[in-house]
Amino acid sequence: MIMQFHSIITGVENGVIEGKIELTGIAKPEENLRSFSGTIQNGSGECYFEDESGTKGKFSLILKNKDEIEVEFEYIYVHAGETDRSRGKEILKPYNLSLQNNITIVTEQEVILDSWGNVRLAGGRFDTGRKFYGILYLTNEEGDVFYQFHAPLRTGAWVVETYTEDINGDGLTDVMLIEKFEADDIEEAEWIFIQREDGQFERGELIKE
């Protein structure tokens, strides 16, 4: 089994750090990831995690600079009755749009989204070489990706506009996007992403076509 270590930090407050981790692939916020918690002081942290399957472990964090975190980990991974042990050291860097040269950003909008704070909605298209489809991310000014929105967007169309509004009246700001097949296409499609209390968003729903 190929072991990878990816993490999402959800909070750092009063010396306590919390987040989510993925041991076998890229961590995606919308998935049911393992939770971790620990203590952090002077840029160094000690964290622990354990789940119902028996997977458990620990790792240390050292903040190298604003773009790099050194992680030294040791854990037992339990899946389908089999047990794997892994230990190692990695440098974690933020996922950035510049890492994907097949992404074209068409629209960017600075917004304030509840627990996310000041962020950017960056939308456009992802080109596979044979076809393309729309994409939408939450990023910072440097293009570091905080979140990717998911929806069954139409092949051959791309995101041309975004806006925010509390659609369902729950006090949380929701996100909408408009996709088109051509820039002057009058037959646009509109998708809505409802924000949840944990700051994540429901899978996109088509509300106008």
Side-chain angles (χ1 to χ4, degrees):
M1 177 181 295
I2 298 176
M3 291 292 188
Q4 297 177 308
F5 192 98
H6 297 265
S7 69
I8 299 169
I9 296 175
T10 58
V12 179
E13 187 175 2
N14 298 325
V16 176
I17 182 171
E18 296 178 330
K20 306 283 187 178
I21 60 169
E22 173 57 58
L23 304 178
T24 59
I26 296 176
K28 298 179 179 180
E30 72 278 1
E31 295 181 350
N32 186 22
L33 303 174
R34 295 174 179 84
S35 298
F36 73 80
S37 62
T39 58
I40 188 167
Q41 187 174 10
N42 298 324
S44 179
E46 293 293 332
C47 304
Y48 303 87
F49 63 91
E50 184 173 2
D51 64 22
E52 296 178 354
S53 71
T55 297
K56 60 182 178 180
K58 60 182 179 180
F59 57 94
S60 61
L61 300 172
I62 299 177
L63 182 63
K64 307 293 287 186
N65 54 56
K66 72 181 184 69
D67 292 324
E68 292 185 348
I69 298 177
E70 182 181 275
V71 177
E72 189 168 354
F73 59 86
E74 180 179 356
Y75 57 82
I76 299 172
Y77 181 76
V78 180
H79 179 70
E82 297 185 359
T83 301
D84 288 282
R85 296 177 180 268
S86 184
R87 61 188 307 172
K89 181 184 294 187
E90 292 188 10
I91 296 293
L92 302 185
K93 298 181 179 181
Y95 180 75
N96 192 285
L97 288 176
S98 64
L99 300 176
Q100 292 278 5
N101 55 16
N102 45 5
I103 286 179
T104 301
I105 297 301
V106 176
T107 176
E108 285 190 87
Q109 178 189 8
E110 188 170 337
V111 296
I112 299 176
L113 287 179
D114 304 297
S115 59
W116 293 96
N118 292 311
V119 289
R120 289 174 179 262
L121 286 170
R125 69 186 187 191
F126 178 85
D127 192 345
T128 67
R130 298 196 308 175
K131 57 185 179 181
F132 57 84
Y133 52 87
I135 49 89
L136 181 63
Y137 298 100
L138 281 183
T139 74
N140 60 12
E141 292 183 356
E142 288 75 35
D144 295 333
V145 177
F146 298 148
Y147 192 87
Q148 180 178 358
F149 294 84
H150 289 272
L153 300 180
R154 302 172 299 174
T155 301
W158 62 86
V159 177
V160 297
E161 185 180 345
T162 63
Y163 63 98
T164 60
E165 185 179 341
D166 181 7
I167 293 294
N168 57 358
D170 63 355
L172 298 174
T173 304
D174 307 310
V175 170
M176 279 68 68
L177 68 79
I178 295 174
E179 63 166 358
K180 295 182 178 182
F181 285 104
E182 300 290 344
D184 57 354
D185 188 0
I186 62 174
E187 295 182 0
E188 61 189 30
E190 189 171 3
W191 298 77
I192 181 173
F193 301 83
I194 298 296
Q195 186 176 180
R196 306 195 314 234
E197 290 186 2
D198 61 2
Q200 300 177 44
F201 293 83
E202 299 289 349
R203 186 174 176 85
E205 177 184 351
L206 183 63
I207 59 175
K208 186 180 74 172
E209 185 175 12

